[in-house]
Amino acid sequence: MNRLRAKDGGCPWDLEQTFETIAPYTIEESYEVADAIARKDMRDLKEELGDLLFQVVFHSHLAKEQGLFDFDDVAQAMTDKLIRRHPHVFGEAGDRTADEQNAAWEVQKAAERKAKARHGILDDVPVGLPALTRAAKLTRRAARVGFDWPSLNEVLDKLEEEVAELKVELAAGDAEKAKQELGDILFVIANLARKMDAEPEDALRGTNAKFVRRFETIEAELARIGKTPEQSDLAEMDALWNKAKQAERAQ
């Protein structure tokens, strides 16, 4: 990193980068780590973790150049946080169950938010998260202080209510209000995922993979009879989709 950012002989592209320009790459590398895990490709995971580590090095180096902090400071801050949040491991708090640790974790994080002048329950849920992930985190945080539906049934009822409201706006032709209602539906779905103890991004990622797998089957079946999707129609492709679906369920 020192060589890449060297004023004399460094890489022109690396020299132009800032925290803001590198941030999108950091997010992208995080997703590529998750993708390698989903594919159970450990060789790829090793490489992607290296790419993600490089992002940490890059940001730390930029901070060092500005006299803010360096890589060692980043590692030390993480070490201090882990020790502070695990007194049952590193201190004298005694053994804890997973639920007790979750409760203690929230108390500790609340104290940390207060120290950072972040007093709201939702203050430190990052705005830059993918919207569905952030929705799940917002609802999880609110639920911890009692702002939650009692059971799954109430969430399902709310989902039906929001779908009905979307239909009204679609019928009225109000595109902006329809978009807002669609957002409400997605937010309720994030809540539903939390109540089911499922990560919405994981659930959707699985469905994305299923869609790709089944559509590739459609393409293969059409190719077998000398056709492409462009030469087919919805009825034919839908029939092939259902065939692929039934084959998967039979496995």
Side-chain angles (χ1 to χ4, degrees), residues 220-245:
E221 288 294 318
L222 289 172
R224 191 174 57 83
I225 58 175
K227 295 175 69 175
T228 66
E230 292 82 0
Q231 296 167 329
S232 182
D233 57 29
L234 177 58
E236 182 179 33
M237 288 191 287
D238 193 46
L240 291 172
W241 174 277
N242 288 329
K243 180 181 177 181
K245 182 178 180 179

Side-chain angles (χ1 to χ4, degrees), residues 210 213-215 217-218 237-251:
K210 181 168 57 180
R213 188 169 62 246
R214 290 178 181 175
F215 195 81
T217 299
I218 292 174
M237 288 191 287
D238 193 46
L240 291 172
W241 174 277
N242 288 329
K243 180 181 177 181
K245 182 178 180 179
Q246 291 171 1
E248 284 188 3
R249 288 182 171 177
Q251 291 177 353

Side-chain angles (χ1 to χ4, degrees), residues 29 113 163 167 174 187 206 237 243 249:
E29 295 299 350
R113 285 196 298 273
V163 170
K167 289 179 179 179
D174 192 324
F187 195 85
M237 288 191 287
K243 180 181 177 181
R249 288 182 171 177

Side-chain angles (χ1 to χ4, degrees), residues 16-164:
E16 290 179 354
Q17 304 313 305
T18 65
F19 290 117
E20 292 76 15
T21 62
I22 289 297
Y25 295 103
T26 308
I27 295 170
E28 180 181 335
E29 295 299 350
S30 298
Y31 278 120
E32 291 182 358
V33 166
D35 178 65
I37 292 171
R39 291 185 286 105
K40 295 181 170 45
D41 189 334
M42 294 300 105
R43 177 180 295 179
D44 202 17
L45 177 59
K46 178 179 69 175
E47 181 176 338
E48 297 301 344
L49 285 171
D51 291 344
L52 184 58
L53 176 60
F54 179 70
Q55 295 298 308
V56 178
V57 172
F58 209 138
H59 285 290
S60 300
H61 193 89
L62 292 173
K64 181 180 179 181
E65 290 175 347
Q66 298 178 34
L68 302 172
F69 56 81
D70 60 17
F71 185 84
D72 286 345
D73 294 327
V74 171
Q76 187 62 56
M78 188 68 254
T79 300
D80 293 343
K81 182 186 293 185
L82 288 172
I83 292 173
R84 186 170 63 249
R85 291 183 177 178
H86 295 81
H88 57 299
V89 175
F90 301 104
E92 299 178 356
D95 293 338
R96 289 177 177 170
T97 65
D99 288 342
E100 288 171 340
Q101 172 57 14
N102 282 336
W105 182 278
E106 287 307 312
V107 171
Q108 179 63 45
K109 290 182 73 174
E112 291 172 5
R113 285 196 298 273
K114 185 176 181 180
K116 293 179 179 178
R118 293 177 176 176
H119 304 295
I121 296 296
L122 309 177
D123 281 355
D124 61 342
V125 180
V127 175
L129 287 173
L132 197 59
T133 297
R134 187 165 193 259
K137 286 185 175 293
L138 289 170
T139 63
R140 188 177 298 116
R141 186 67 63 80
R144 285 171 179 165
V145 293
F147 192 70
D148 192 16
W149 282 290
S151 71
L152 270 175
N153 288 333
E154 285 84 0
V155 186
L156 291 170
D157 290 342
K158 184 64 176 178
L159 181 57
E160 291 179 2
E161 176 188 324
E162 296 295 352
V163 170

